[in-house]
Amino acid sequence: MAVAARKGRATTSPLASSPMAITTAARPGFLGSWLGRIPLPKWVLIAVAAAAAVLLLLFLVCIIRCCCCKKKPKKKERVSLHAVSSSTTASLVQPEMDDLEQGTEQIGRGKLQYSLEYNFREQELKVGVKQAAELKAMDSGGTSDPYVIVYLTSDTKKKYETKVYRKTLNPIFNESFTFLVSQAEVPESTLVMQIYDFNRFAKHDIIGEVRLPLASVNLQHVIEQWSDLVAASKVEEEQLGEICFSLRYVPSTGKLMVLILEATKLKRMDSHGLSDPFVKVHLILNRKKWKKKMTSVKKNTLSPYFNEMFVFEVPFSQIQNVDVVISVWDHDKVTKNEPIGKLFLGCRATGNQLRHWSDMLSNPRRPLAQWHSLQPPDVVDKALGLKSHLKLPLPPR
């Protein structure tokens, strides 16, 4: 009995008294322990897991389909131009016109032989138009009626023309023309020789041109050479010149000071290749002419120096409504004075003119000088849109 009792105690006591053994036998897995902490029924957790699995499966299917769709067009791609704008479509389908001209049309325009001789004592440039060869046929019969126009970019008004030669692609001109060009203006000038096809009943077609910057030519010797004709460039803007002036405004006294300093590279207005320039300064108030002052006349020059100051009384309350018009004129004793170019400054101006005006207002009592390019007078007048030419009285302060 005692032995049996001892055996029974020996076999049963570890199971009843050892908590470590109970824990080891009844411990679930890590996932089960983690799920046991969530206060939701098991069917809810199973439903969430199934939904997540379905979403993951759909996501994988979408990725596989996208990859397959991208690989298929490699065999035969189709480009739809309906969704592209017309301008973009045109650039995709056809090249630019400039590229066409430089590519196919430029080849076979022909070439021109000419000569250059500069007389440093007389400051004259003698241009000889010798002959042309292998010109492009412009007429239906396979020929052309060529003639040459010669001019300098520094004076586009003065142009010379050769005689017209009928039905030939190899004309011999042998004509010469003389231009008055000072040594200072030679590096800034470009010689242009354009060959046209004459047409009696329609516009003359240009075959090609030769542009020769005189700065790249050694005029110490007589030059005679051939040059290939190229496609004519677009109509160039006429250079009217530049002017430098200073602006200063003092708000406390209401004084606007305009200092006309100098001008350069002015357009030639006289027959001898020079001008007699002077400057007008107009004040425009509410788009009506208000006050005007002018400089003295500088004779026979394209780069006059003035250094003349004009003072206008403009109350601070009116400074936002004022435009300052700077115009350069060519003086003529016999005929009417001709405008060379204009520009205007004010709150309605743009570009450098507006920047100069804004700098003046933001720096009171400080003179600010700046160079400006002259613009065609009609362009400036249109931008100003003047209502009348009446002189207005000074507004009250």
Side-chain angles (χ1 to χ4, degrees):
M1 295 285 293
V3 175
R6 284 197 299 270
K7 288 181 178 180
R9 287 196 298 269
T11 55
T12 59
S13 61
L15 294 173
S17 60
S18 177
M20 184 63 70
I22 296 173
T23 305
T24 304
R27 183 181 180 183
F30 174 76
L31 180 60
S33 175
W34 181 77
L35 293 175
R37 296 179 183 179
I38 301 176
L40 293 173
K42 286 187 176 181
W43 68 269
V44 176
L45 298 177
I46 295 173
V48 173
V54 172
L55 291 176
L56 180 60
L57 181 60
L58 292 175
F59 180 70
L60 293 175
V61 171
C62 291
I63 292 178
I64 294 172
R65 292 188 64 182
C66 291
C67 294
C68 293
C69 291
K70 288 183 179 179
K71 292 180 180 179
K72 286 182 179 180
K74 286 187 176 180
K75 295 181 179 179
K76 187 177 181 181
E77 293 186 356
R78 293 182 179 180
V79 180
S80 176
L81 299 179
H82 295 289
V84 188
S85 62
S86 59
S87 58
T88 307
T89 304
S91 64
L92 291 172
V93 176
Q94 62 185 23
E96 295 290 339
M97 294 305 298
D98 293 340
D99 298 336
L100 285 176
E101 289 185 357
Q102 294 178 1
T104 57
E105 292 185 6
Q106 184 168 316
I107 299 175
R109 292 181 180 273
K111 53 187 178 179
L112 177 68
Q113 185 187 30
Y114 56 90
S115 64
L116 294 177
E117 182 179 358
Y118 186 72
N119 189 326
F120 288 87
R121 179 178 299 177
E122 301 294 334
Q123 297 192 22
E124 293 179 346
L125 177 66
K126 186 176 181 180
V127 180
V129 180
K130 301 295 184 180
Q131 59 181 323
E134 303 172 3
L135 293 180
K136 179 181 177 181
M138 305 296 288
D139 300 337
S140 58
T143 61
S144 295
D145 302 325
Y147 69 97
V148 183
I149 293 180
V150 185
Y151 67 92
L152 295 174
T153 56
S154 56
D155 186 11
T156 56
K157 274 191 171 182
K158 192 171 186 180
K159 296 183 178 181
Y160 294 104
E161 293 185 11
T162 67
K163 296 178 181 179
V164 178
Y165 289 80
R166 300 286 184 178
K167 297 183 179 181
T168 178
L169 300 179
N170 300 282
I172 300 177
F173 300 103
N174 284 333
E175 298 186 40
S176 60
F177 311 100
T178 302
F179 297 90
L180 291 173
V181 188
S182 65
Q183 295 185 36
E185 295 166 351
V186 166
E188 302 172 358
S189 301
T190 298
L191 176 65
V192 182
M193 294 169 283
Q194 297 176 327
I195 300 185
Y196 281 83
D197 173 49
F198 177 82
N199 194 322
R200 186 178 299 275
F201 304 105
K203 183 180 179 180
H204 299 179
D205 297 320
I206 186 167
I207 300 175
E209 70 176 13
V210 173
R211 285 180 176 261
L212 185 65
L214 298 184
S216 63
V217 179
N218 183 9
L219 295 177
Q220 298 290 341
H221 309 282
V222 178
I223 297 172
E224 184 171 327
Q225 61 187 17
W226 286 88
S227 291
D228 292 329
L229 296 173
V230 299
S233 60
K234 296 179 180 179
V235 179
E236 55 198 10
E237 294 184 2
E238 188 177 19
Q239 300 298 320
L240 302 177
E242 300 177 350
I243 185 170
C244 181
F245 56 87
S246 171
L247 296 178
R248 181 188 179 194
Y249 184 66
V250 183
S252 57
T253 60
K255 289 187 177 181
L256 174 63
M257 285 156 273
V258 181
L259 174 61
I260 305 298
L261 293 170
E262 59 180 318
T264 185
K265 302 177 184 178
L266 294 180
K267 177 183 174 182
R268 296 176 176 87
M269 302 297 290
D270 298 338
S271 57
H272 55 276
L274 296 174
S275 296
D276 302 323
F278 67 97
V279 179
K280 290 183 182 180
V281 182
H282 278 91
L283 244 59
I284 308 297
L285 178 62
N286 295 325
R287 301 194 179 189
K288 296 181 181 179
K289 287 189 177 181
W290 182 19
K291 298 179 179 180
K292 178 184 71 173
K293 296 184 180 181
M294 63 182 65
T295 67
S296 57
V297 178
K298 305 299 179 181
K299 295 288 187 178
N300 298 327
T301 179
L302 299 177
S303 300
Y305 180 77
F306 299 99
N307 196 26
E308 298 184 32
M309 170 80 75
F310 303 109
V311 180
F312 301 91
E313 292 187 4
V314 182
F316 183 72
S317 59
Q318 297 287 353
I319 193 65
Q320 300 291 340
N321 302 322
V322 167
D323 297 311
V324 178
V325 181
I326 309 291
S327 57
V328 181
W329 295 70
D330 174 50
H331 177 74
D332 200 314
K333 292 182 179 179
V334 181
T335 61
K336 186 178 179 180
N337 297 336
E338 294 183 90
I340 299 176
K342 289 184 179 182
L343 62 96
F344 80 97
L345 303 95
C347 295
R348 297 190 295 135
T350 58
N352 291 330
Q353 289 84 350
L354 178 60
R355 187 178 298 110
H356 195 178
W357 186 260
S358 301
D359 291 343
M360 178 200 72
L361 294 179
S362 59
N363 296 274
R365 296 177 296 276
R366 179 182 173 184
L368 297 173
Q370 185 174 323
W371 281 94
H372 293 273
S373 298
L374 294 172
Q375 302 172 8
D378 55 340
V379 174
V380 176
D381 292 341
K382 184 178 180 180
L384 286 171
L386 301 183
K387 295 180 180 179
S388 67
H389 302 278
L390 298 178
K391 185 176 181 180
L392 302 181
L394 181 67
R397 294 187 179 182

